[in-house]
Amino acid sequence: MAKKKTFEEALKELEDIVRQMESGDLPLEDAVKKYESGMKQSKFCLDLLDKTEKKISLLTKDLDGNVKEEPFEDE
């Protein structure tokens, strides 16, 4: 079974890509591939952050002041 990528792994990969591209040592073709990969990592991270933000927003307090979590309907 394939391991599911975490936010932290994707962010580290994105940081590595940025560092490589900023070095200016990549040939154009490699830089384009790195850019495409970086965009995928960026989208993955942003999507995960968006889903997490939605989940957090569902945390509410009941009438007694207790925190309760409502089910999150993922689209």
Side-chain angles (χ1 to χ4, degrees):
M1 179 187 288
K3 180 183 169 197
K4 190 173 182 179
K5 184 181 286 193
T6 66
F7 174 82
E8 291 79 11
E9 290 168 337
L11 185 59
K12 179 171 179 357
E13 193 172 325
L14 182 57
E15 289 170 343
D16 290 343
I17 289 169
V18 170
R19 196 171 12 267
Q20 290 172 11
M21 291 185 71
E22 286 179 339
S23 74
D25 295 334
L26 292 174
L28 180 59
E29 186 175 321
D30 291 343
V32 170
K33 287 179 184 177
K34 291 290 182 182
Y35 179 81
E36 290 170 346
S37 179
M39 291 303 293
K40 288 178 187 176
Q41 298 310 315
S42 176
K43 182 177 179 348
F44 174 84
C45 289
L46 290 173
D47 288 347
L48 191 55
L49 286 172
D50 186 49
K51 286 179 184 178
T52 302
E53 182 179 22
K54 288 177 184 176
K55 286 181 183 180
I56 290 171
S57 70
L58 291 176
L59 289 173
T60 59
K61 290 186 179 180
D62 63 16
L63 296 176
D64 297 324
N66 299 315
V67 175
K68 66 177 185 173
E69 185 175 352
E70 298 176 5
F72 173 69
E73 300 294 326
D74 194 10
E75 299 163 340

